[in-house]
Amino acid sequence: MVVLVGRLSKIYFKLENHLHHHHHEAATEALLQASLEAFRSDVSVALNRLLLSNSKPGSELLSFAWIQLCFELLQVINKAFAKVVVDIDYPMSKWEASSSVEEYLNYSLCLMELLNSISSSMSHLRQARLSLSHALSLVENSPPMAIERLRAFPTKSNSSCKEFKRPENNKEDGDGGDRFFGSNKERAVNEALMEVKSIGFWACGVILAGLSGDAKAYVDMRNSGGGFSNSALSSLDSSICEMMLEKKGGVLKEVRELNDSANCLAAALETGESGNQKAAEELQRRLEAFEKVLDNMGSEVDHLFSKLLAGRNQLVDGIRRNSKIA
């Protein structure tokens, strides 16, 4: 009898442990799904903001305002990814599978290189702005030289964008979904990271195309990508693609306006019209506004670059600590 009771106690204990473990797994899975849904919701809000801005009367895709929204999208998706990692209690220091480590390191490195390209494009625009400012300083004492410089204002980058290619996912077999053999948390991190990469590289392609006036970065992104799983992103891409093909790259509205103002002032100087003072004031106003948007975006680019670098350092430090413990 005592032996029977002991056996029943062991069976009951095992059953209780099994039920507790099953309940814990179910709760963990529910948390993962809720965190991923919150991530997708944050991403959708940012994408829909872009879609709505495109549908407003008088809105224009090729403008600094829209480029700024695209960059805000970059910031939102990276913040959303960082939030998922915190919500599921899976910081980079705990990452186990080499696949997710490699994916994130490749993504962050590529994005940092793209941010450098964005900074380079903005440097070109700053140089063009300085050229017009110098032309303005010559209006009063040297009109012929001012005209020459006003007419030479570049609306597109002299150097085309370097080849832009999205890095391929680290696939081994099948559709790549089974290549992550880590925990459920590992799978959740990788699922979010795949969407971050897809949207992030798309946004960079659009930003670079707009800043340089050259569609190459955007076209390269589309040619190297494998399509978009997000329906809102697909709708945005259709609008961008149509616009890029129609205008063959195009130039930002603000750059076109600067060029128009410069030409207007040059024409007034050539004909000796009395309105050249007003034209000069208008160009000065546009130059000041242009400088402000460049400075604001430059600060945001530097901030995101620093955040990515910090994330990479955190991940690498965690790998080193874990290797020492092992």
Side-chain angles (χ1 to χ4, degrees):
M1 183 69 178
V2 174
V3 174
L4 179 60
V5 171
R7 287 179 177 175
L8 288 174
S9 295
K10 288 181 180 179
I11 293 172
Y12 177 78
F13 180 74
K14 289 181 179 179
L15 179 60
E16 188 178 50
N17 279 346
H18 175 75
L19 291 174
H20 176 75
H21 178 71
H22 179 72
H23 176 74
H24 177 72
E25 283 189 338
T28 300
E29 185 61 28
L31 172 63
L32 293 178
Q33 291 304 316
S35 298
L36 283 174
E37 285 304 314
F39 163 79
R40 295 188 184 100
S41 176
D42 289 341
V43 170
S44 294
V45 167
L47 287 170
N48 286 330
R49 188 180 300 126
L50 279 174
L51 280 169
L52 288 174
S53 68
N54 181 35
S55 62
K56 291 180 180 179
S59 64
E60 189 169 351
L61 291 180
L62 283 174
S63 68
F64 241 117
W66 207 79
I67 290 295
Q68 184 69 33
L69 285 177
C70 286
F71 193 80
E72 288 176 10
L73 174 63
L74 267 181
Q75 296 171 307
V76 167
I77 61 174
N78 281 282
K79 286 181 182 178
F81 177 72
K83 186 174 183 296
V84 166
V85 170
V86 172
D87 288 347
I88 66 176
D89 189 26
Y90 197 52
M92 289 181 177
S93 59
K94 293 183 180 180
W95 287 11
E96 300 171 357
S98 60
S99 55
S100 59
V101 171
E102 184 179 352
E103 288 284 351
Y104 182 80
L105 289 176
N106 285 341
Y107 161 71
S108 57
L109 178 60
C110 185
L111 188 54
M112 288 166 69
E113 290 176 346
L114 288 167
L115 290 176
N116 281 333
S117 294
I118 289 172
S119 294
S120 178
S121 294
M122 288 194 295
S123 293
H124 170 81
L125 291 175
R126 287 191 184 93
Q127 189 61 42
R129 191 199 69 80
L130 286 173
S131 177
L132 283 184
S133 292
H134 180 58
L136 269 178
S137 70
L138 298 172
V139 166
E140 186 173 344
N141 297 322
S142 184
M145 292 184 66
I147 293 171
E148 181 182 348
R149 284 163 173 73
L150 289 168
R151 294 294 192 192
F153 176 67
T155 57
K156 293 190 177 184
S157 174
N158 293 327
S159 56
S160 60
C161 294
K162 68 178 183 179
E163 183 178 359
F164 176 80
K165 187 174 183 180
R166 284 164 51 173
E168 295 180 1
N169 291 339
N170 216 2
K171 295 184 179 181
E172 293 177 1
D173 297 305
D175 62 359
D178 296 330
R179 68 184 185 279
F180 304 117
F181 298 103
S183 63
N184 289 340
K185 289 183 177 182
E186 186 77 23
R187 291 176 181 270
V189 163
N190 278 283
E191 186 175 334
L193 184 55
M194 291 305 103
E195 187 156 356
V196 166
K197 287 173 61 177
S198 177
I199 297 173
F201 293 142
W202 176 87
C204 283
V206 174
I207 293 169
L208 278 171
L211 291 175
S212 66
D214 184 353
K216 178 174 172 51
Y218 169 74
V219 172
D220 287 347
M221 177 280 302
R222 291 192 94 251
N223 291 342
S224 64
F228 307 108
S229 58
N230 190 297
S231 58
L233 182 59
S234 296
S235 298
L236 270 173
D237 181 65
S238 296
S239 299
I240 289 289
C241 183
E242 181 179 353
M243 180 268 296
M244 289 288 183
L245 291 176
E246 178 184 340
K247 298 188 178 181
K248 297 181 180 180
V251 177
L252 289 178
K253 179 183 74 171
E254 291 79 1
V255 175
R256 296 199 308 272
E257 289 174 346
L258 276 178
N259 189 47
D260 290 343
S261 292
N263 286 331
C264 182
L265 177 56
L269 291 172
E270 286 174 338
T271 59
E273 294 178 5
S274 58
N276 57 38
Q277 181 61 36
K278 184 177 180 181
E281 291 174 356
E282 175 65 15
L283 179 56
Q284 180 63 40
R285 183 187 68 79
R286 292 193 183 279
L287 285 172
E288 290 173 357
F290 195 67
E291 181 181 22
K292 185 176 180 179
V293 294
L294 281 175
D295 287 345
N296 288 342
M297 187 167 180
S299 297
E300 293 180 7
V301 170
D302 291 342
H303 178 70
L304 181 54
F305 188 95
S306 297
K307 294 285 288 185
L308 289 167
L309 183 59
R312 286 176 62 83
N313 290 339
Q314 179 186 352
L315 182 54
V316 172
D317 289 344
I319 295 172
R320 288 171 179 167
R321 285 195 299 270
N322 291 336
S323 63
K324 288 180 180 179
I325 295 175

